[in-house]
Amino acid sequence: MTTPVSTPGARSYSFPKEEHLCRKKLIEALFGQGSSFGLYPLRLTWRAAEVPSAEPPQVLVSVSKRNFKRAVDRNYLKRLLREAYRLNKYRLLEAPGGHRVAQLAIIYTGKEKKPLALIEKKLTSGLERLLAETGATAQAGAGS
């Protein structure tokens, strides 16, 4: 059996275990020292890296038990968030000069279920804003 040949320009739409944020210390550092902004129904919290990178950041996906009592609903929304990120993470990876995001938390703050198209649209605009903010802080730090 032959393995598929990857072309140099092909994007990888995978979301492997190595990209999942699971370590308690890193999660505490992310929420303790990180920055965030909201784009309803999402909230993005990130922690900047020291140097720009082309490697994908570690990502945490969360849905509140307060807003969705049934685990089925929480799991469904987490699946949608992971899918939207998986399809759009190339925006971070293909940023000119790399990105400065070490860890990223995607938190669903809405009180009702939204369709994948809306979640993907909000996540896309959130990733673009994240690139703009981390790029601006990188340039401000380099200018002083």
Side-chain angles (χ1 to χ4, degrees):
M1 182 169 200
T2 62
T3 58
V5 177
S6 63
T7 58
R11 290 184 179 143
S12 172
Y13 290 105
S14 63
F15 187 41
K17 179 70 175 165
E18 298 82 42
E19 294 179 23
H20 292 233
L21 180 57
C22 301
R23 293 186 56 204
K24 190 174 180 180
K25 280 188 175 184
L26 290 177
I27 294 170
E28 288 172 356
L30 170 64
F31 287 106
Q33 304 164 1
S35 305
S36 66
F37 61 86
L39 284 170
Y40 188 82
L42 302 178
R43 179 160 202 77
L44 296 177
T45 304
W46 76 94
R47 190 164 156 233
E50 290 80 31
V51 294
S53 171
E55 294 296 314
Q58 288 188 305
V59 178
L60 170 84
V61 175
S62 177
V63 178
S64 171
K65 190 174 184 178
R66 178 186 296 174
N67 296 336
F68 296 95
K69 304 292 185 199
R70 297 172 59 209
V72 172
D73 295 332
R74 289 193 305 275
N75 292 339
Y76 172 74
L77 287 168
K78 286 191 285 188
R79 193 176 305 119
L80 291 183
L81 290 172
R82 281 192 301 267
E83 180 70 4
Y85 173 74
R86 184 183 71 82
L87 293 174
N88 291 290
K89 74 175 181 179
Y90 72 88
R91 295 173 190 279
L92 284 177
L93 303 180
E94 295 177 2
H99 64 87
R100 294 182 52 96
V101 182
Q103 288 100 22
L104 173 67
I106 304 169
I107 304 165
Y108 191 88
T109 57
K111 298 195 184 302
E112 63 282 330
K113 292 194 273 186
K114 301 284 186 188
L116 176 63
L118 179 90
I119 291 173
E120 191 171 4
K121 179 181 171 189
K122 293 292 185 168
L123 185 65
T124 302
S125 60
L127 291 176
E128 296 296 332
R129 180 172 167 184
L130 182 63
L131 281 173
E133 287 190 17
T134 56
T137 56
Q139 291 171 356
S144 25

